[in-house]
Amino acid sequence: MPPVDTMSYDAKPLMLDVIRTERDRFYKLVEHPANWEVQTRCTEWETRDLVGHMIDVTETYLERWDLARRGESTSEVYGLPGMADRAGDRAKSFRTLSQQEAIARLKKASDELMTIFEAITGDEWSNFTVTHPYMGPLPTFIYFAFQIMDYGVHPYDIRYGLGDKLASIDERTAGVLIP
């Protein structure tokens, strides 16, 4: 695949397709009951915690997006130091949900976020900013990359935990993340 300039609005259709493809792969892995409590490559997380992580980031993006659309700002930016601990605690907080509840909640939030992504205009791609909880205000195209990162890398983490020590990330996905 030739290099892709993911900062360009022209990359939007490809990025949406990669998110959909990787999200489907992720769902197939997490929906299997035997995979739910498998220790993943993320040493502190089981598969269910990856789902919790995705619920957390996706719902947080939706909340932050709503604030940005209303022209409201949030002063809550935690910064990168401590991000792993905070994200880990938040991911594990969803362990109280059943597998079916957690997956349904993630799918609902993810579908809402995809609806927002699909409606992003060329001007919004780089000119509309949403405050990320750890990094502050970022242009919308960065959120596409974050979803590709999460849905593209976490299936690898699960497959590794299932014993596939040669698991890899899809070449097209890697090419979008690191052209």
Side-chain angles (χ1 to χ4, degrees):
M1 184 172 102
V4 175
D5 178 4
T6 56
M7 294 192 305
S8 167
Y9 181 69
D10 293 339
K12 178 185 167 185
L14 172 63
M15 293 179 80
L16 284 170
D17 187 57
V18 171
I19 294 168
R20 285 186 196 100
T21 299
E22 294 298 343
R23 187 175 68 161
D24 288 345
R25 288 182 183 148
F26 181 81
Y27 289 161
K28 285 178 181 146
L29 286 166
V30 303
E31 288 172 340
H32 196 289
N35 296 350
W36 193 240
E37 293 184 21
V38 166
Q39 176 63 52
T40 70
R41 184 73 169 134
C42 297
T43 58
E44 303 298 319
W45 288 353
E46 297 173 356
T47 298
R48 63 185 172 163
D49 302 320
L50 291 172
V51 173
H53 169 64
M54 293 307 297
I55 292 170
D56 177 43
V57 299
T58 306
E59 288 181 353
T60 300
Y61 292 170
L62 289 169
E63 291 166 8
R64 299 293 177 107
W65 218 282
D66 186 50
L67 285 170
R69 288 269 190 237
R70 292 193 321 246
E72 298 176 23
S73 64
T74 178
S75 60
E76 287 187 308
V77 176
Y78 306 108
L80 293 176
M83 181 175 112
D85 289 337
R86 181 174 167 74
D89 291 345
R90 291 179 61 87
K92 289 179 180 178
S93 74
F94 294 96
R95 284 185 172 188
T96 58
L97 299 176
S98 71
Q99 182 177 12
Q100 293 75 23
E101 290 169 325
I103 293 169
R105 185 166 167 179
L106 172 59
K107 285 182 174 184
K108 179 181 180 296
S110 182
D111 287 347
E112 288 177 34
L113 188 61
M114 288 300 287
T115 298
I116 291 169
F117 282 3
E118 289 163 357
I120 294 296
T121 67
D123 182 58
E124 291 172 321
W125 185 256
S126 54
N127 295 321
F128 182 73
T129 60
V130 177
T131 302
H132 189 274
Y134 299 105
M135 296 181 214
L138 297 171
T140 59
F141 71 85
I142 297 294
Y143 289 87
F144 285 67
F146 288 159
Q147 287 286 282
I148 292 169
M149 172 68 184
D150 280 331
Y151 283 119
V153 173
H154 291 317
Y156 157 81
D157 296 324
I158 297 167
R159 289 191 315 270
Y160 188 94
L162 290 168
D164 183 0
K165 304 305 185 216
L166 300 176
S168 63
I169 297 169
D170 179 77
E171 184 176 336
R172 183 176 77 135
T173 301
V176 171
L177 287 173
I178 308 168

